[in-house]
Amino acid sequence: MNSREYAIQCFKDEAEAVLGLIPQLDSSFDEAVSLMYQCRGKVIVTGVGKSGHIGAKIAATLSSTGTPSFFINPLDVFHGDLGVMTTDDVVLAISHSGQTDELLRFIPMVLHMHIPIIGMSGNTESLLAKYATCHLNVSVSKEACPMNLAPTSSTMAQLAMGDALAIALMEKRGFQPRDFAQFHPGGELGKRLLTTAQDVMRRDELPVLPPEMHLGQAIILVSKGKLGLGIAEVEGRIVGLITDGDIRRAMEKWQAEFFDRTVSDIMTRTPKTVRPETKITEIQRIMNRYKVHSVLVTDEEQHLLGVVDHYACEI
């Protein structure tokens, strides 16, 4: 086989390993989710070697999706790190064999503190499975490794089970995109979900027009505004909106009579408005739904505060 054929076989083997977890799911999964959901402290994930690396990723996923969690190496527990654990915590211990010596030496300490243990291994008869409060079976028929030695399918199964726990907990907590953004404020998604209209709206030199202004004059102000629109106001209140598209259509319709027409003849009398605290994601939804390129930002009395166009939403 060539390199790509080896890759394809690896994908198939690992996919088979993950799908093989489905019939292995039982009430222990429900119990594990319940323990983690009701945990008043933190979920402490632990494991050695490759299982440890997977454990660190699982801890990071849990923390970023609403379940406070961190990873600890069981070897460090013997040198003072046991002090971070409390009786309010839950331990998620991961081992492919369920017989890892360094992990098993850690278990009696946890049991002595009456901390629940969720075991995750590929051996339902292991000591880890025996002493765990509940045990998640992640056994695989074979590794993707051609020698059936290197942890490949087994670590993929552990990772998938960890993701399944995180997803189940997200659903149980009613975790929403805004919650995700709070845990990812520096990322692109966080910016989009946390940014509001007042953060990006244009406030200065807005193209405000009286409804009685002739369209010939309105064209000049709309052009100077560089927003492709003009806002019609009466005594400081918004009464309508015209766009450069409205102006073009009016020119085609009235031709020579165009310059005798006024803003009120073509303005939209119910422009889309939002409050300053409206999230950018909601503004994008409004734009997509109503096929508009800009929304007006107003206060409760419909006084104009600013304009958000589709370019401002592309953060």
Side-chain angles (χ1 to χ4, degrees):
M1 292 194 298
N2 61 35
S3 297
R4 277 178 289 174
E5 290 174 326
Y6 284 121
I8 292 170
Q9 187 59 50
C10 177
F11 295 155
K12 288 181 177 179
D13 289 342
E14 294 195 351
E16 182 180 332
V18 172
L19 291 175
L21 296 178
I22 296 175
Q24 295 172 189
L25 279 177
D26 56 21
S27 59
S28 291
F29 183 84
D30 301 323
E31 187 176 358
V33 171
S34 180
L35 284 171
M36 297 167 82
Y37 178 70
Q38 296 173 10
C39 177
R40 293 179 297 171
K42 290 181 171 58
V43 174
I44 299 173
V45 186
T46 186
V48 180
K50 303 297 187 299
S51 294
H53 295 307
I54 296 298
K57 190 275 179 186
I58 292 174
T61 299
L62 289 170
S63 290
S64 69
T65 53
T67 301
S69 177
F70 66 89
F71 174 79
I72 186 171
N73 190 315
L75 299 175
D76 294 331
V77 171
F78 302 108
H79 300 282
D81 282 7
L82 187 63
V84 304
M85 299 175 62
T86 72
T87 54
D88 289 331
D89 297 331
V90 170
V91 167
L92 172 59
I94 307 171
S95 167
H96 174 55
S97 68
Q99 300 286 120
T100 306
D101 182 62
E102 297 90 343
L103 189 65
L104 293 178
R105 284 190 286 144
F106 166 60
I107 298 301
M109 303 178 193
V110 180
L111 293 175
H112 179 71
M113 297 176 67
H114 302 289
I115 297 174
I117 300 173
I118 300 169
M120 183 190 297
S121 82
N123 183 358
T124 58
E125 303 299 322
S126 65
L127 289 174
L128 175 59
K130 178 180 179 181
Y131 288 107
T133 308
C134 59
H135 179 258
L136 302 174
N137 182 8
V138 289
S139 61
V140 298
S141 59
K142 64 175 182 176
E143 299 286 3
C145 167
M147 296 180 291
N148 198 31
L149 295 174
T152 44
S153 296
S154 58
T155 49
M156 182 62 69
Q158 293 171 352
L159 186 62
M161 184 64 77
D163 286 343
L165 289 169
I167 297 304
L169 286 163
M170 288 175 69
E171 292 292 337
K172 200 171 181 67
R173 296 184 196 282
F175 200 78
Q176 298 296 315
R178 62 178 178 272
D179 302 310
F180 190 86
Q182 290 176 351
F183 294 110
H184 300 76
E188 190 66 24
L189 177 61
K191 290 179 184 178
R192 290 170 60 82
L193 293 173
L194 294 177
T195 301
T196 63
Q198 63 186 350
D199 295 324
V200 299
M201 69 184 184
R202 175 171 160 182
R203 309 164 188 264
D204 302 322
E205 299 180 0
L206 299 176
V208 175
L209 322 168
E212 65 274 12
M213 176 179 282
H214 285 95
L215 292 179
Q217 295 173 282
I219 290 176
I220 298 172
L221 291 181
V222 169
S223 178
K224 285 183 178 180
K226 298 180 179 179
L227 284 171
L229 56 79
I231 305 114
E233 283 190 355
V234 173
E235 296 181 353
R237 293 181 182 274
I238 299 169
V239 296
L241 175 78
I242 64 171
T243 67
D244 49 9
D246 294 329
I247 294 172
R248 287 194 301 272
R249 285 187 288 272
M251 293 179 72
E252 292 175 1
K253 178 180 179 180
W254 287 309
Q255 298 183 15
E257 298 177 11
F258 171 80
F259 291 97
D260 296 325
R261 300 290 179 167
T262 64
V263 170
S264 62
D265 290 329
I266 67 169
M267 69 184 186
T268 299
R269 300 178 185 274
T270 55
K272 302 307 174 188
T273 63
V274 297
R275 294 288 182 261
E277 64 274 12
T278 304
K279 299 291 192 299
I280 287 298
T281 49
E282 173 61 15
I283 293 175
Q284 289 177 316
R285 187 190 68 78
I286 292 171
M287 290 180 177
N288 292 333
R289 179 178 179 182
Y290 295 102
K291 304 294 190 295
V292 296
H293 298 289
S294 301
V295 297
L296 308 182
V297 185
T298 66
D299 60 18
E300 294 180 356
E301 285 77 37
Q302 286 297 102
H303 294 134
L304 181 66
L305 301 177
V307 176
V308 177
D309 63 13
H310 66 285
Y311 294 112
C313 294
E314 296 175 357
I315 58 174

